[in-house]
Amino acid sequence: MADQLGAQEVVLRLDGITKRFGALTANDAVSFSLHRGEVVALLGENGAGKTTLMNILFGHYTADEGTVELFGQPLPPGNPRAALAAGVGMVHQHFTLADNLSVLENILLGTRPLWSFGFDRASARARIVQLARDFGLSVVPEHRVGNLSVGERQRVEILKALYRDARILILDEPTAVLTPQETDALFVTLRKMVAKGLSVVFISHKLHEVMAISSRVVVLRHGKLAGEVATGQTDRHKLAELMVGSEVKSPELRASTPGPALLTLSQISTPDHGNAPGLKAANLALHAGQITGLAGVSGNGQAALADLIAGLERPVSGDMALHGEAPAHWSPRAAMDAGIARIPEDRHKTGTIADFTLTENAILESYSQAPFSRRGWMNWRAARDFAEQVITRYDVRCPGPDTRIRLLSGGNMQKLILGRAMEPGPKVILANQPVRGLDIGAISFVHGQLLAARDRGAAILLMSEDLDEVMALSDVIQVIYEGRLSPPFSRGSMTAAQLGQWMAGGGFDGDAHAA
Amino acid sequence: MRLEPIANPTLARTLGFPLIALTLTVLIGSSLAMLAGANPFATLGLILKGAAGSRFAILETLNRATPLIFTGLAVAVAFRAKLWNIGAEAQLYAGAVMAVLLGTGALGWPSGLLLPAMAGAAMLAGALVLLGPAILKVRFGVDEVVTTLLFNFVVLLFVSMLLEGPLKDPMGMGWPQSSRLIPEARLPRIIDGLRLHWGFGLAILSALVVWVIQSRTTLGYEMRAVGQNRQAAEFAGIPVGRVILKTALLSGGLAALAGFSEVAGLKGNLTLDISPGFGYTGIIVAMLALLNPVGVVVSAIFVAGVFVGADSMSRAAGVPTYIANIMLATALLTMVLAIALTRFNVRRG
């Protein structure tokens, strides 16, 4: 730990925090401290206990053992208001803003009593504008939040915390929804904040960002403190090792020779759904033996493309061809029958049924076919055998096929979804955010499976908000922006910054009116 | 206040809270009896005695439980698929009307043919009554809570019209009631000389059939999937609309069997008061049973016992029978709370 930090005042101290949920110990005697004017990165796999720890700090949970101290004062457990009043602000991964209110109203919301009169709106506005200028958070107070981009919304969330005099800011996976350029802007803001004496806890699993912004890294593994290192004295490999407990290898991509196009979209358009744009004259060709990566800031039509290929949405214009032929009708069943495997974006809401067992979830896409269903009767023995086969082949860690799937971690849930989709030997794979929120072990497993499928000759569409993931795995990259698709860029022909330009809409102007 | 889920509730917890709920129900019921000027312990004794104190009392309770099992199953089946059928009352009357239409001499068949025909026609009518709201829900997104509820009044008024018109018993001294069923159309009694009829047997059989459908058939799997997560069901290619329609047919048919069984088993003719709200009480029965078809049998007998016991108690102790309604309401509220408490820890802050 750097010496000059020792001189700085400790603003937050967690001491010996232990939290158990039944047999599971989510936090096991975790201690760390945050100093004035520093960025500490909280690094850990999914399920390592980061969120539990922050929930204890915020009073959402009460620790079984251990104490929290803020600015030298003990924090009463189990009281969310106490942490807020003491000056802790949190920016959640999923924003907590009201779409129908303006930026100003969102920031003021909850800061004053419901029935206060004679409120000085002008001075509140002036203060927000001042804060925005001080920290480089450009927003227009009068704009409706519903019309803002994700990056702008995040700035509003940060301003909200600053307006409440937060001295400590906790950011939960803040870069997951940002373009590289927006991430850089966020880092500028964070540096300004620490320069003014604020402290930041930066929760992330992206190692290079942790390396770029933090002064210290606290690593959690299986609820325990796995290590605490000064950022200057470590590197990405050592951090990854601390995180997973063993050395990790990034996937090696062998060159592939693309085969024929298995799925082609030409000039396809789909309807808009509220704020979610539909596709606008999109062209896409998925070739056998090739991974096509889709880059883009979330909310730019990824959902429309995923729904189209998954069979949930029908195009209003344009042509779709599967194995060279236009499908007679289009539905989830038709998509599966045509050999499309689908890994949905939201494994909790779309991919699984929480209170169903692993067996029941394993056959969700094939329940109506033999051997699982014959003449209207279920064959649960066959279903259970299938579930056991998926569990073994795809390394789903679980008590057994009769466990309700809600008790599984995200990674194991995803492995089950992956297994059930891959078992029929699909020709086309739609992988929508296949590793979001997963730990490194599960990520490398899922990526390994996708690469193996590619080498078998499957055509894969990989959709991810993580540009690094897209660049690491894809043979070809296309960028989606407001429902439009860029031309395909072959692997290595574009830098992250260049793709970032496309993700922000640059380069699309020429054919903007093609739709 | 916040709820924290408990992964594996202990046995003490699973049994303790429902027991406390039952005790609370009894306490509130008896303190009301006290308010009405009766001895609470004596009242309680009278309720128990009236519900289960003799062979006659027990059979009477089972008799009262019969329509509740059917409506409870109807609600449980529908709610399991998140089809909010509040219209079991209407479906019950539709079934009763069919039983009367076929059973008053229109068909001169022997019992062995006539009774199944009546039951089948009743189920068909009940199914059709619920099919309308279900189609509106699937095609146009019309809220079935509203449509099924309103259908209750439509059907009840329609039955009232029938009983004042075409179905009116010419020998009925002007009362709005139908002619009596012919002997071949009556459900026989299980035990000679006592009122319990084979409608109860049919109810038990229906509960078993529903249980088999839900756990063993493809349709049951689809219904549970649609009910628990419609979005995931749609993504997986389950024909959600068709499943909801099939659920509606099953649910409406079950509720209609209550009407058939009351007419053919108990009453022998149709009047407008054949159901004192069995369709609505079926919702309580299903909820108390946590939508489990076998549990429906148990909870229907419990609910019927409270009604029968309170009836008999009120005659003996001079306490209003409304106490039965209050006790059921308390039982439902405390049970729902108790079930929540077996699964969640309540934390302050």
Side-chain angles (χ1 to χ4, degrees):
Chain A
M1 202 177 311
D3 275 339
Q4 69 269 24
L5 283 176
Q8 288 280 16
E9 172 198 355
V10 172
V11 292
L12 167 68
R13 188 193 302 280
L14 295 164
D15 194 17
I17 298 285
T18 297
K19 176 71 187 172
R20 295 181 198 91
F21 296 101
L24 178 86
T25 306
N27 289 146
D28 191 352
V30 176
S31 305
F32 83 91
S33 53
L34 178 67
H35 297 82
R36 197 176 126 86
E38 71 165 342
V39 177
V40 165
L42 192 55
L43 186 67
E45 297 184 309
N46 207 47
K50 294 172 297 185
T51 311
T52 307
L53 198 61
M54 290 304 117
N55 276 327
I56 288 170
L57 171 58
F58 261 86
H60 295 314
Y61 293 147
T62 314
D64 296 325
E65 284 159 38
T67 53
V68 181
E69 245 178 50
L70 272 172
F71 304 103
Q73 301 290 317
L75 185 76
N79 183 356
R81 286 182 183 280
L84 284 173
V88 183
M90 179 143 184
V91 176
H92 291 273
Q93 211 171 342
H94 302 285
F95 302 142
T96 54
L97 299 172
D99 276 356
N100 55 337
L101 298 182
S102 72
V103 169
L104 178 66
E105 286 162 334
N106 261 292
I107 293 172
L108 296 182
L109 205 64
T111 57
R112 59 209 167 96
L114 211 49
W115 303 106
S116 61
F117 293 95
F119 174 72
D120 189 355
R121 206 178 160 91
S123 74
R125 184 184 187 282
R127 204 177 139 223
I128 290 168
V129 171
Q130 185 62 42
L131 280 171
R133 194 173 307 140
D134 286 353
F135 293 105
L137 296 157
S138 66
V139 292
V140 180
E142 283 71 31
H143 278 178
R144 252 171 52 105
V145 162
N147 299 329
L148 300 186
S149 74
V150 185
E152 287 172 306
R153 282 172 206 234
Q154 188 177 63
R155 295 204 280 275
V156 177
E157 284 277 8
I158 295 173
L159 268 179
K160 214 164 95 178
L162 293 174
Y163 184 80
R164 282 155 211 233
D165 294 317
R167 309 293 303 150
I168 299 172
L169 194 66
I170 299 168
L171 299 161
D172 190 4
E173 301 277 357
T175 59
V177 291
L178 303 181
T179 62
Q181 284 83 354
E182 282 174 322
T183 302
D184 290 342
L186 172 69
F187 285 1
V188 170
T189 297
L190 294 184
R191 290 198 186 98
K192 285 185 177 165
M193 287 169 61
V194 295
K196 286 187 198 290
L198 275 72
S199 313
V200 175
V201 177
F202 185 90
I203 302 175
S204 183
H205 67 273
K206 292 189 190 171
L207 296 168
H208 68 99
E209 287 173 358
V210 166
M211 291 301 295
I213 190 66
S214 69
S215 53
R216 257 187 324 135
V217 187
V218 172
V219 187
L220 288 182
R221 184 169 75 227
H222 302 316
K224 288 195 185 108
L225 196 66
E228 188 179 343
V229 286
T231 312
Q233 293 163 14
T234 185
D235 58 40
R236 288 168 64 162
H237 270 281
K238 284 185 197 148
L239 285 179
E241 254 183 75
L242 276 178
M243 245 168 106
V244 295
S246 61
E247 208 175 330
V248 281
K249 280 193 202 129
S250 42
E252 267 176 48
L253 206 54
R254 287 192 300 274
S256 76
T257 39
L262 300 183
L263 174 76
T264 48
L265 308 180
S266 15
Q267 297 292 309
I268 287 264
S269 296
T270 63
D272 296 340
H273 293 290
N275 272 343
L279 295 176
K280 313 271 186 289
N283 293 310
L284 176 78
L286 300 181
H287 290 270
Q290 197 175 56
I291 295 181
T292 302
L294 189 76
V297 177
S298 74
N300 270 295
Q302 289 96 330
L305 181 58
D307 283 354
L308 175 74
I309 297 177
L312 293 163
E313 181 83 90
R314 287 182 194 88
V316 287
S317 64
D319 297 308
M320 176 157 74
L322 268 162
H323 313 293
E325 282 172 40
H329 67 286
W330 198 230
S331 67
R333 187 74 267 155
M336 285 181 272
D337 290 346
I340 300 183
R342 296 125 4 111
I343 298 166
E345 176 179 11
D346 190 328
R347 51 184 163 267
H348 299 276
K349 281 191 192 144
T350 325
T352 57
I353 296 178
D355 277 321
F356 270 24
T357 62
L358 265 78
T359 301
E360 288 170 320
N361 273 297
I363 58 163
L364 199 54
E365 295 186 320
S366 49
Y367 75 94
S368 61
Q369 296 159 353
F372 308 130
S373 171
R374 280 211 176 95
R375 294 202 187 103
W377 292 88
M378 297 302 289
N379 182 346
W380 287 116
R381 185 182 297 268
R384 204 171 184 283
D385 289 348
F386 177 69
E388 267 170 355
Q389 183 181 322
V390 170
I391 287 169
T392 335
R393 286 197 193 161
Y394 295 85
D395 189 31
V396 183
R397 312 255 170 90
C398 63
D402 302 324
T403 314
R404 283 183 304 151
I405 202 160
R406 73 155 69 243
L407 298 171
L408 263 58
S409 72
N412 286 314
M413 223 181 254
Q414 192 73 329
K415 286 180 193 167
L416 185 90
I417 295 173
L418 184 76
R420 125 190 134 192
M422 302 290 258
E423 273 305 276
K427 300 280 189 305
V428 177
I429 298 167
L430 166 71
N432 192 357
Q433 311 290 348
V435 299
R436 176 152 70 189
L438 302 190
D439 58 65
I440 289 192
I443 289 175
S444 71
F445 183 86
V446 172
H447 283 167
Q449 288 289 331
L450 290 178
L451 289 171
R454 179 194 83 148
D455 294 343
R456 273 202 311 272
I460 300 171
L461 178 63
L462 171 68
M463 305 174 66
S464 174
E465 281 155 19
D466 186 343
L467 190 54
D468 296 339
E469 183 191 0
V470 171
M471 293 183 72
L473 290 179
S474 309
D475 301 296
V476 166
I477 296 177
Q478 283 186 262
V479 180
I480 190 162
Y481 174 74
E482 289 186 348
R484 287 179 282 157
L485 281 175
S486 76
F489 306 118
S490 62
R491 178 179 178 76
S493 69
M494 296 283 263
T495 64
Q498 284 170 316
L499 287 171
Q501 292 289 339
W502 280 88
M503 286 160 71
F508 278 99
D509 299 309
D511 57 339
H513 304 290
Chain B
M1 206 176 75
R2 228 175 43 256
L3 296 176
E4 261 180 34
I6 302 170
N8 292 308
T10 59
L11 188 66
R13 225 186 155 96
T14 358
L15 292 180
F17 279 110
L19 272 178
I20 293 173
L22 215 58
T23 318
L24 263 178
T25 307
V26 167
L27 277 180
I28 291 172
S30 36
S31 45
L32 281 169
M34 205 152 69
L35 271 180
N39 176 343
F41 296 104
T43 320
L44 206 60
L46 285 171
I47 292 181
L48 276 177
K49 198 169 151 221
S54 62
R55 198 161 78 139
F56 176 79
I58 290 173
L59 292 179
E60 202 49 37
T61 296
L62 295 184
N63 236 342
R64 184 72 76 95
T66 301
L68 291 178
I69 295 174
F70 286 120
T71 55
L73 287 174
V75 171
V77 161
F79 280 22
R80 183 64 88 191
K82 292 242 163 66
L83 171 70
W84 306 115
N85 175 15
I86 316 292
E89 193 78 2
Q91 295 134 29
L92 180 153
Y93 274 100
V97 166
M98 292 312 281
V100 166
L101 277 178
L102 299 187
T104 46
L107 293 178
W109 296 352
S111 277
L113 284 177
L114 184 54
L115 282 171
M118 285 161 67
M123 288 189 79
L124 194 64
L128 289 178
V129 167
L130 187 52
L131 192 60
I135 289 175
L136 286 175
K137 174 191 167 84
V138 171
R139 289 296 299 272
F140 305 108
V142 179
D143 189 343
E144 74 276 20
V145 172
V146 177
T147 48
T148 55
L149 184 65
L150 291 180
F151 246 95
N152 286 340
F153 302 100
V154 174
V155 169
L156 206 63
L157 287 169
F158 180 71
V159 171
S160 172
M161 186 201 81
L162 288 180
L163 290 180
E164 292 289 355
L167 284 186
K168 191 168 183 173
D169 182 6
M171 315 297 282
M173 322 281 281
W175 290 101
Q177 62 184 35
S178 75
S179 308
R180 297 200 66 78
L181 299 189
I182 57 174
E184 289 80 11
R186 296 298 303 271
L187 279 164
R189 289 175 176 179
I190 297 178
I191 301 162
D192 253 353
L194 289 169
R195 287 222 298 170
L196 188 65
H197 56 84
W198 273 106
F200 181 74
L202 184 62
I204 302 288
L205 183 69
S206 302
L208 291 176
V209 168
V210 168
W211 178 74
V212 168
I213 288 176
Q214 286 190 336
S215 57
R216 291 276 176 272
T217 68
T218 312
L219 175 64
Y221 176 82
E222 290 174 325
M223 292 196 300
R224 289 185 292 126
V226 168
Q228 296 216 24
N229 187 341
R230 190 172 166 160
Q231 194 180 329
E234 239 153 39
F235 182 82
I238 296 178
V240 171
R242 239 182 299 158
V243 171
I244 290 176
L245 294 184
K246 286 180 194 167
T247 307
L249 293 176
L250 181 60
S251 170
L254 284 165
L257 281 181
F260 158 74
S261 141
E262 285 299 279
V263 167
L266 200 65
K267 300 283 172 54
N269 67 350
L270 176 59
T271 55
L272 259 193
D273 59 359
I274 192 167
S275 160
F278 287 138
Y280 301 104
T281 312
I283 298 172
I284 300 182
V285 169
M287 297 299 276
L288 279 178
L290 299 179
L291 308 186
N292 178 318
V294 178
V296 160
V297 173
V298 178
S299 82
I301 292 173
F302 167 75
V303 168
V306 173
F307 272 126
V308 171
D311 266 352
S312 130
M313 176 274 292
S314 81
R315 281 191 299 272
V319 173
T321 52
Y322 297 122
I323 284 187
N325 288 317
I326 296 176
M327 281 183 72
L328 274 186
T330 336
L332 180 66
L333 292 176
T334 52
M335 272 300 179
V336 167
L337 196 64
I339 288 158
L341 285 174
T342 57
R343 295 193 200 154
F344 297 95
N345 263 323
V346 181
R347 285 289 161 91
R348 252 164 23 90

